Amino acid sequence: MSDTVTIKRKRGLDIMKVREDFPILRTTVFGHPLVYLDNAATTQKPLAVLEAQDRYYTTINSNVHRGVHFLSQQATEAYEPGRKKIAAFIHARHTHEIIFTKGTTESINLVASSFGRKFLQKGDAILVTAMEHHSNIVPWQMICEERGALLKVIPVNEKGELVLDELDGLLKERVKLVALNYISNALGTVNPVREVLRAAHGMGIPVLLDAAQAIQHTEIDVQELDVDFLAFSAHKIYGPTGFGVLYGKEEWLNQLPPYQGGGEMIKTVSFEKTVYNDLPYKFEAGTPDMAGSVGLGAALDYIQSLGMDNIRTYEHELMAYALDALRGIDGLRLIGEARERAGVLSFLVGSIHPFDLGEILDKQGIAVRTGHHCAQPIMDQYCIPGTVRASLAFYNTKSEIDALVTGIHKAIQLLG
Ligand code: PLP
């Protein structure tokens, strides 16, 4: 570990120094310094990630596993450590419990398809929550339709918290798997996943956690949580796009049939019979994203050098500051007021359409997201078409929150 990194770790985060690691943050937009508050959609990449991927393509690139030649071996040696780093990062028992995918969406589709084909019968059910991202609804809907199963929903109250009183009753309705997000991308709610896991496991039901919005904000120990499946995307944790992870307990992964067929996922192929490969390759058909693994590995090294505890403490402070600041704006209504929240602030201002507010903020260099955030069912529950969403990362500053507040006031003056 370098000296600067050790200093950062001991003393908490020096945010201005950290920002220097992210070249894109120096961008100006319409003459204003970029204020990037769209981190729930995707995070920016530190130089460490950009350089690792560049180095991979300029010096190592070759196809992995099958080659005897020098570069192919180098590529394999660069690619596989990513899996080890991820396993260590989420405290998986085995490296082969880490399956590489394109991202959270593909990870969930993999489980929905494989688990559904193996275990879902007519009349069975999958249980999700009312605040899921479409990626944790539609794959289940598709497999339920195919298998004649039902999709059931844990309700959410006005504050944006799960109504757990109904959980035990719902679980008894032939539920075969529970799939829920750890942190909601639409509301910022941190869900009581331990309680859900305890209740589900009490009835022998496995749980999949969509950790797309949690992996970058909170430490995750899959063994301590005792979660059965966990999905996340590299691009939301400062890594590259198009790459992601499915963690699955070995005993579950061994029971599931392959998701896709092709190269890499086989041991032997004949026209009469194919013998599938061992974990993790059984679920990794085709040439993998080598640079993706290298990039995610570099991202994990980078954030570990800052210290997850430092990140959590700083983000907590920033969230409290932002909540106070937004609550001080006349006519601003937060959508989702859960006691436990992280990363995301969703809101509406008076009768201003979220899209109009987003455009005015954009003209001031402030990047927020507007719309339903791929979570239409929860927007429907609030009877709104969408919100403005500001989402935070550890490189955001209090002065950026001040800029957001000034921007909102400007929009109120113009449109309010
Ligand atoms: N789940 C949640 C909670 C998300 O926030 C997202 C993306 O915003 C996804 C799933 C889908 O992630 P990806 O598009 O990276 O597959």
Side-chain angles (χ1 to χ4, degrees):
M1 213 181 276
S2 75
D3 285 353
T4 22
V5 161
T6 318
I7 289 163
K8 274 181 197 161
R9 185 164 207 161
K10 277 196 188 134
R11 298 194 187 145
L13 299 182
D14 176 346
I15 298 306
M16 297 326 280
K17 202 127 198 54
V18 165
R19 285 176 69 87
E20 286 172 17
D21 297 335
F22 293 82
I24 203 169
L25 297 179
R26 283 174 229 141
T27 306
T28 53
V29 177
F30 302 120
H32 300 275
L34 168 68
V35 174
Y36 187 75
L37 296 172
D38 195 18
N39 295 288
T42 200
T43 52
Q44 300 302 346
K45 321 303 171 201
L47 275 170
V49 170
L50 304 176
E51 286 169 2
Q53 290 205 295
D54 189 42
R55 213 165 31 245
Y56 173 80
Y57 278 123
T58 44
T59 63
I60 300 176
N61 179 51
S62 179
N63 210 332
V64 285
H65 294 149
R66 291 173 286 264
V68 290
H69 64 80
F70 178 78
L71 273 191
S72 176
Q73 286 175 16
Q74 292 258 298
T76 308
E77 277 168 30
Y79 167 74
E80 283 297 343
R83 207 186 298 274
K84 270 211 180 95
K85 284 180 191 172
I86 295 156
F89 189 70
I90 62 170
H91 305 276
R93 186 177 313 236
H94 306 293
T95 307
H96 58 250
E97 293 175 317
I98 305 299
I99 312 295
F100 288 156
T101 66
K102 285 192 297 187
T104 311
T105 303
E106 190 177 50
S107 299
I108 297 172
N109 272 278
L110 189 164
V111 179
S113 166
S114 295
F115 185 95
R117 277 185 287 136
K118 177 81 186 247
F119 292 110
L120 271 189
Q121 305 292 340
K122 196 169 169 19
D124 287 341
I126 295 289
L127 185 59
V128 296
T129 83
M131 62 169 109
E132 295 309 315
H133 188 281
H134 298 163
S135 291
N136 202 26
I137 299 174
V138 183
W140 301 111
Q141 255 172 350
M142 288 163 71
I143 194 70
C144 282
E145 197 175 315
E146 202 178 306
R147 307 295 298 173
L150 301 165
L151 189 66
K152 307 235 162 177
V153 183
I154 306 172
V156 168
N157 65 22
E158 183 59 24
K159 287 170 92 178
E161 295 171 331
L162 292 182
V163 182
L164 286 186
D165 302 350
E166 300 191 19
L167 180 59
D168 283 344
L170 282 164
L171 286 170
K172 285 182 189 136
E173 296 179 22
R174 290 188 57 182
V175 168
K176 287 286 179 286
L177 182 141
V178 182
L180 80 159
N181 64 79
Y182 198 149
I183 297 179
S184 158
N185 70 306
L187 310 176
T189 306
V190 180
N191 280 314
V193 294
R194 282 185 172 75
E195 281 177 69
V196 175
L197 276 153
R198 209 176 307 125
H201 284 174
M203 296 191 201
I205 301 167
V207 175
L208 175 143
L209 273 188
D210 170 351
Q213 299 296 341
I215 192 76
Q216 65 282 50
H217 297 301
T218 185
E219 222 151 329
I220 293 183
D221 181 332
V222 289
Q223 288 189 73
E224 189 262 318
L225 277 176
D226 195 25
V227 67
D228 303 279
F229 300 101
L230 182 114
F232 67 92
S233 304
H235 72 100
K236 306 224 193 238
I237 184 166
Y238 313 99
T241 52
F243 190 74
V245 171
L246 171 69
Y247 158 81
K249 278 185 189 163
E250 182 183 40
E251 53 268 38
W252 277 114
L253 293 177
N254 273 333
Q255 290 181 70
L256 301 188
Y259 173 50
Q260 293 176 330
E264 199 72 25
M265 52 74 73
I266 52 90
K267 272 187 178 156
T268 60
V269 178
S270 74
F271 285 115
E272 289 71 40
K273 185 172 170 58
T274 290
V275 179
Y276 303 132
N277 211 339
D278 298 325
L279 294 177
Y281 309 111
K282 180 172 95 174
F283 293 106
E284 296 180 354
T287 296
D289 181 355
M290 287 82 81
S293 168
V294 169
L296 177 55
L300 298 185
D301 285 346
Y302 177 78
I303 64 170
Q304 282 175 308
S305 74
L306 301 182
M308 265 321 268
D309 41 353
N310 287 335
I311 290 174
R312 206 184 36 239
T313 305
Y314 177 70
E315 287 185 350
H316 205 264
E317 192 186 312
L318 194 63
M319 173 59 83
Y321 184 84
L323 273 173
D324 255 12
L326 291 186
R327 283 187 179 125
I329 298 175
D330 254 2
L332 186 142
R333 173 184 164 211
L334 282 166
I335 306 297
E337 290 267 20
R339 272 157 302 179
E340 292 282 328
R341 67 183 306 148
V344 165
L345 296 132
S346 236
F347 55 90
L348 290 170
V349 180
S351 58
I352 302 176
H353 194 282
F355 184 77
D356 294 335
L357 181 49
E359 276 218 314
I360 290 175
L361 291 174
D362 179 46
K363 294 291 175 293
Q364 296 164 75
I366 303 165
V368 292
R369 189 141 294 241
T370 62
H372 54 57
H373 317 298
C374 292
Q376 271 184 311
I378 194 66
M379 296 294 138
D380 290 348
Q381 177 173 325
Y382 282 103
C383 300
I384 53 176
T387 70
V388 177
R389 183 184 74 182
S391 51
L392 309 178
F394 57 71
Y395 44 61
N396 289 128
T397 62
K398 289 182 182 167
S399 57
E400 288 184 315
I401 302 298
D402 296 342
L404 172 67
V405 171
T406 306
I408 296 172
H409 280 303
K410 203 171 251 181
I412 294 171
Q413 266 174 17
L414 287 168
L415 305 170

